[in-house]
Amino acid sequence: MPSLIGVDHVVGPTLMLAPELFRLKGDRKESLVPRAAGSHACWHGVISEIAERKAQETELRESEARFRALVQNAPGGLLVVDRTGIIRYASPTFASWTGDSDQLVGPGTDMLNLLRPEDTNRFRQFLAEASTVTGISPEMEIRLRTADGWRAVELTATNLISDIDVRGIVLKARNGTDRRD
């Protein structure tokens, strides 16, 4: 019987092994590697096929890039806020409406500070209702502070607080000032 040597890990050059030297055992591949004298060394370990995983990673990266491009270049604004109106995410389009990008509309900003004072109570009520409703809430109009004054913005809310990937209320915003003109 050929001698067998147990190997925990290999240091040095990578071995390229012919497929016929592998045998499948469950979802693992094991192999016997022939030695020069015809005896065999037993390699104890796991060889994983990573081509499928690499393809999935590439697909995920492409999907994330596509989603990011759609959100960041959408004609309307997109916000994710918590129940109290603290911004967790603001799309570049929404941020550009204020004229001050991330300085004024970044994560951690209180949305109430961006609204005309007369709109704050209605907005609080809107968020309170949106946080208890499943699906899309009715539309509301607010006036958003900008570098040049105020901009009318129409909001629609979707409650995704229980979605572990979002954990907030998604506000879809349309520029109401342009629609009025």
Side-chain angles (χ1 to χ4, degrees):
M1 181 162 192
S3 63
L4 300 174
I5 301 171
V7 178
D8 288 333
H9 63 280
V10 176
V11 177
T14 305
L15 297 173
M16 297 300 291
L17 304 173
E20 62 271 9
L21 299 176
F22 291 103
R23 74 171 179 240
L24 292 176
K25 188 172 185 181
D27 61 348
R28 300 162 67 171
K29 290 182 180 178
E30 296 180 348
S31 67
L32 291 178
V33 182
R35 298 181 96 190
S39 63
H40 290 86
C42 177
W43 180 77
H44 180 77
V46 177
I47 297 174
S48 299
E49 175 59 55
I50 64 168
E52 184 178 334
R53 187 181 81 210
K54 290 292 185 184
Q56 290 171 340
E57 289 171 359
T58 299
E59 186 178 328
L60 179 61
R61 256 191 320 279
E62 290 170 356
S63 175
E64 288 172 344
R66 185 172 39 259
F67 178 76
R68 189 177 313 105
L70 286 170
V71 168
Q72 292 180 347
N73 296 298
L78 187 68
L79 291 154
V80 178
V81 299
D82 68 11
R83 284 182 166 99
T84 65
I86 302 298
I87 296 172
R88 300 184 67 195
Y89 171 80
S91 69
T93 301
F94 186 87
S96 73
W97 290 349
T98 67
D100 200 17
S101 69
D102 290 340
Q103 298 286 321
L104 188 60
V105 189
T109 302
D110 189 341
M111 183 74 178
L112 295 172
N113 294 334
L114 304 175
L115 304 181
R116 202 159 185 175
E118 304 88 62
D119 293 342
T120 57
N121 284 337
R122 285 187 317 108
F123 183 71
R124 279 190 189 110
Q125 213 171 8
F126 178 71
L127 287 182
E129 180 184 323
S131 68
T132 62
V133 174
T134 302
I136 299 174
S137 73
E139 204 170 83
M140 101 166 272
E141 186 175 291
I142 58 166
R143 287 160 295 178
L144 179 69
R145 182 172 12 128
T146 68
D148 301 329
W150 300 98
R151 175 186 297 255
V153 175
E154 297 172 354
L155 297 176
T156 305
T158 304
N159 180 356
L160 294 179
I161 292 170
S162 61
D163 184 317
I164 62 170
D165 295 320
V166 180
R167 295 186 182 163
I169 300 169
V170 177
L171 301 176
K172 182 179 78 170
R174 288 190 306 189
N175 186 347
T177 302
D178 291 344
R179 293 170 48 94
R180 288 182 182 179
D181 297 341

